[in-house]
Amino acid sequence: MDLTVTIGGMKFKNPLWAASGTFGCGKEFVDFLDLSEVGAIVAKTVTLNPREGNSTPRVVETPSGMLNSIGLENKGVEHFAAEVLPEMKRYGTRVIASISGFSRQEFVECARVLSGKSTPDAIEINLSCPNVRHGHTKCLLMAQDPKATKEVIRAVKKRAKAPIIAKLTPNVTDIAEIARAAKDAGADAISLVNTYFGMAIDPLTMRPLLGNVVGGLSGPAIRPMAVKAVWEVYKKVKVAIIGIGGIMNGLDVAEFMIAGANAVQIGTTNLVEPGAMTRILREYKEYLKKMKISSARNIVGRLKTGG
Ligand SMILES: Cc1cc2nc3c(=O)[nH]c(=O)nc-3n(C[C@H](O)[C@H](O)[C@H](O)COP(=O)(O)O)c2cc1C
């Protein structure tokens, strides 16, 4: 059975990747699974300067999912490039760095740092950060604005040595429009989706359950919406897609790939079951065998509609 997938001109041993922010930098999971079995590890997002993150509580369980408002806590891209990346590259799988920024220049600087001595296999650009420069409103995210998306991706593409993946927020009216902007600017692939905006309140204290009041919803609760986002982009934009959102088992992987994803990322499930990716890969292989499909790539976009 051929599980390999090619994205951005690069071959991956299988289409199951660990999602940013839910898998640390891999070493936190070595006691639970063989990291070399994972298709790729997307590291936690880093920014140009270290960040302390949002006030606590930062996570809360919700029906079929969770809310988080970590606020991009990290030690900065220089630390990542010097201390974390070289270690991650020893795990026998692809390593994808994730960067974010508060201006185009910050993204470019991060890409520059990651194009030095030790480079990741690819860079995922987390565009779910406030769009300060284009800030039409205080809450507008980079990936809610096709123009800002285009500018950032174009600038990073020029500077980065590695292929780039644009990770989009689903909190938009037309996700295909943003995906098209990212692709036209040079993104090698698109990751869909980051979390959905949400909030939860304790009725007894009448206080929000997250220190930041609002956060991002993830887990199986978002899966149908995420599958739809993948399908929308698959129909309208010719670009490699990495599907993300509530994947818990092998059939969920198949669901995203049938909708048009070339690979998927597993997020919240890693927090519930740290060894889950091994199980999910096994289940996905069983699915392909049962369906008599010899290659993981053969189900991409095979959705049957009508009659
Ligand atoms: C605790 C937590 C932290 C996250 N941190 C990041 C992050 O640093 N960068 C990023 O691009 N996405 C981050 N995400 C979003 C996930 O990578 C993923 O896109 C989202 O959770 C949907 O997938 P899931 O339902 O499988 O979790 C985070 C998600 C969670 C739950």
Side-chain angles (χ1 to χ4, degrees):
M1 189 182 292
D2 180 8
L3 289 178
T4 60
V5 292
T6 302
I7 288 169
M10 210 182 332
K11 205 167 181 179
F12 293 80
K13 63 178 77 168
N14 69 57
L16 259 71
W17 305 0
S20 179
T22 65
F23 207 71
C25 46
K27 76 165 183 250
E28 296 84 347
F29 286 76
V30 290
D31 291 340
F32 300 98
L33 75 170
D34 176 358
L35 295 182
S36 72
E37 281 189 0
V38 171
I41 300 172
V42 187
K44 164 98 191 126
T45 299
V46 291
T47 48
L48 182 59
N49 300 308
R51 287 175 56 83
E52 286 193 351
N54 290 334
S55 51
T56 55
R58 290 173 172 186
V59 290
V60 54
E61 273 191 57
T62 56
S64 299
M66 64 179 284
L67 285 165
N68 89 81
S69 67
I70 310 293
L72 296 180
E73 179 188 347
N74 77 95
K75 292 184 176 162
V77 68
E78 297 270 6
H79 173 267
F80 176 79
E83 308 289 332
V84 182
L85 186 56
E87 194 181 331
M88 288 183 80
K89 291 182 80 161
R90 287 203 286 265
Y91 295 147
T93 186
R94 296 267 186 213
V95 176
I96 300 175
S98 167
I99 59 170
S100 198
F102 295 89
S103 67
R104 187 177 49 184
Q105 205 44 43
E106 282 190 24
F107 279 95
V108 173
E109 273 301 296
C110 287
R112 183 188 62 75
V113 174
L114 293 172
S115 301
K117 229 168 56 195
S118 179
T119 54
D121 292 306
I123 301 177
E124 188 173 79
I125 304 176
N126 175 3
L127 291 155
S128 294
C129 46
N131 181 2
V132 179
R133 179 161 163 250
H134 293 83
H136 310 295
T137 70
K138 218 172 127 200
C139 290
L140 202 69
L141 308 180
M142 290 272 188
Q144 287 176 318
D145 178 351
K147 196 164 161 252
T149 299
K150 215 174 222 171
E151 282 187 15
V152 168
I153 299 295
R154 189 173 286 141
V156 173
K157 181 70 186 170
K158 250 193 220 154
R159 193 65 189 81
K161 274 191 193 158
I164 62 169
I165 304 167
K167 183 166 178 180
L168 303 185
T169 174
N171 299 296
V172 290
T173 309
D174 182 359
I175 189 89
E177 181 194 13
I178 312 287
R180 189 174 297 111
K183 187 216 158 184
D184 289 350
D188 297 283
I190 309 282
S191 287
L192 302 165
V193 293
N194 212 316
T195 53
Y196 285 79
F197 292 142
M199 67 185 280
I201 299 166
D202 179 348
L204 300 180
T205 61
M206 300 187 179
R207 299 187 69 82
L209 290 173
L210 288 174
N212 190 51
V213 184
V214 298
L217 183 65
S218 63
I222 70 168
R223 193 168 61 241
M225 294 186 285
V227 170
K228 176 176 175 283
V230 166
W231 185 60
E232 291 284 339
V233 172
Y234 179 77
K235 277 189 304 178
K236 295 180 185 160
V237 190
K238 277 228 155 337
V239 67
I241 299 170
I242 298 132
I244 322 170
I247 294 174
M248 294 198 78
N249 58 49
L251 296 182
D252 299 343
V253 175
E255 196 181 353
F256 272 91
M257 296 196 57
I258 292 165
N262 302 85
V264 298
Q265 293 179 19
I266 318 286
T268 301
T269 299
N270 294 317
L271 308 179
V272 185
E273 182 193 342
M277 290 190 66
T278 307
R279 171 184 58 77
I280 298 173
L281 183 61
R282 189 184 64 239
E283 291 168 353
Y284 182 57
K285 282 193 228 167
E286 283 163 10
Y287 161 81
L288 291 175
K289 201 167 158 203
K290 188 172 158 203
M291 298 293 285
K292 299 190 170 42
I293 298 170
S294 59
S295 159
R297 298 184 299 276
N298 286 355
I299 63 165
V300 176
R302 290 268 298 270
L303 180 70
K304 295 179 184 168
T305 52

